[in-house]
Amino acid sequence: MQQITVLGATGSIGGSTLDVIARHPGRYRAFALTAHSRLDELARLCWRFKPRYAVVASAQDADTLQQQLDGLDCEVLHGEQGLCRVASADEVDSVMAAIVGAAGLAPTLAAVRAGKKVLLANKEALVMSGALFMQAVQEHGATLLPIDSEHNAIFQCLPCNYHDGLPQTGVRRLLLTASGGPFRETALHELAGVTPAQACAHPNWSMGQKISVDSATMMNKGLELIEACWLFAARPAQVEVVVHPQSVIHSLVDYVDGSVLAQLGNPDMRTPIAHALAWPQRIDSGVQPLDLYQLARMDFFEPDPEKFVCLRLAREAAEQGGTAPAILNAANEVAVAGFLGGQTGFLQIAQIIERTLEQLASRAADSLEAILDADKQAREVAGQWLARMS
Ligand code: NAD
Ligand code: MG
């Protein structure tokens, strides 16, 4: 029986993870479930999955939840310490890192440092701390498996010795597919007036709000480019973005002999989640088999650089290295929260990020302190730009 900690259990990825776990009760057990808000939903999940621990944001929330769980053998912890404890506990085999944003960094790193099997959905953690994160994976013998559908697809298409280096294993390029989001066909001048509800209405995937806005700006693909560089030891120039509106090819690997391997499937996160949970075995995920006749066609386009400025900003940050990706990520979190909160427009998201990157110099990202410091400064500067652009 594998004991699983689900960080971010009340989210979109958390829900899909628990759906897969529930299909295999003899194989997986929820050890800990965590959430930042929606206590009632977490209480419902605790009664259903009966974890040993639950983790919430504050001591007050912990008291409230503990009362709701009266009669259940579940201890409620709180705060970052609680998250790190359930991510690194001896009893745990695998940790699903599905908190959104920089808040997931500390608990995800705690799981890595405890040598766990880490199922990484929280791309922002890796974007912020790439070199440090990958070094910790090595040092502590953690197993890092990508949940992001594109990276999971690439992982499935790479040879098992890809750690030797992409050129050494005959890989020419990684091709990241992107749906293009809800505004793929919207004219640039119309983007100024789009609402959060429109930005969150993703054509193919049902996801949390932050990643939905990231998909609409294509910052999601930019973060994924950086994520791919760290996961697969690729240079930014080796990663190409291809718009593929049907989201059926989840990504591709182009080899020097002209072979191109792709992973296909219906757009449902339970596939990469089941793949990573059971790896190297395979289990049922509940996802419908792909019907190629119903699909009938697949299209491919180059991303529009004028409409999707965030993609360029992310590629530049990837090339610059150091703390630039952490600055990019923090500014994006502030700008997206501002957009979702109605403080600023859609096009200002990229402007806030660009101004923040211009204003702050990238430094060496060789310690957690340096990374958290860059994150903090970038939030301050982006907050100032947000206020100016409101
Ligand atoms: P979501 O908003 O649906 O859920 C986020 C979860 O994190 C919730 O359980 C929430 O309570 C928790 N959380 C939020 N802020 C927190 C904080 N400050 N401290 C502790 N916990 C906090 O998000 P999601 O769509 O499930 O995405 C989660 C992560 O997975 C993101 O990093 C996202 O980029 C990545 N991801 C998601 C998808 C998808 O299909 N949803 C696909 C690929 C990658
Ligand atoms: Mg993705």
Side-chain angles (χ1 to χ4, degrees), residues 66-80:
Q66 194 74 70
Q67 279 168 24
Q68 288 178 275
L69 300 183
D70 190 31
L72 192 66
D73 183 21
C74 176
E75 189 180 335
V76 184
L77 311 175
H78 69 271
E80 194 168 275

Side-chain angles (χ1 to χ4, degrees), residues 28-85:
Y28 304 111
R29 186 173 182 282
F31 174 79
L33 302 181
T34 87
H36 193 62
S37 52
R38 299 175 66 210
L39 284 196
D40 291 345
E41 172 64 5
L42 183 60
R44 194 186 66 76
L45 293 173
C46 288
W47 279 107
R48 178 163 175 219
F49 289 94
K50 303 188 168 43
R52 243 335 262 115
Y53 295 95
V55 187
V56 293
S58 65
Q60 198 186 345
D61 285 353
D63 285 344
T64 309
L65 183 65
Q66 194 74 70
Q67 279 168 24
Q68 288 178 275
L69 300 183
D70 190 31
L72 192 66
D73 183 21
C74 176
E75 189 180 335
V76 184
L77 311 175
H78 69 271
E80 194 168 275
Q81 245 186 336
L83 292 172
C84 292
R85 187 165 145 203

Side-chain angles (χ1 to χ4, degrees), residues 20 43 56 73 83 109 118 122 186 227 230 252 264 339 344 386:
V20 177
V56 293
D73 183 21
L83 292 172
L109 265 184
V118 179
N122 181 205
T186 310
E227 183 185 12
W230 289 115
L252 316 91
L264 286 74
F339 170 67
T344 198
L386 172 64

Side-chain angles (χ1 to χ4, degrees), residues 7-16 34-38 57 83 97-104 107 120-125 147-150 205-212 214 220 223-224 227 269:
L7 301 172
T10 52
S12 162
I13 293 287
S16 295
T34 87
H36 193 62
S37 52
R38 299 175 66 210
L83 292 172
I99 290 173
V100 60
L120 184 73
N122 181 205
K123 64 193 90 187
E124 296 92 345
I147 294 298
D148 220 340
S149 56
E150 297 75 6
W205 300 95
S206 151
M207 310 182 285
Q209 283 201 316
K210 191 260 179 185
I211 184 176
S212 296
D214 285 349
N220 184 48
L223 297 175
E224 290 184 357
E227 183 185 12
M269 289 307 291

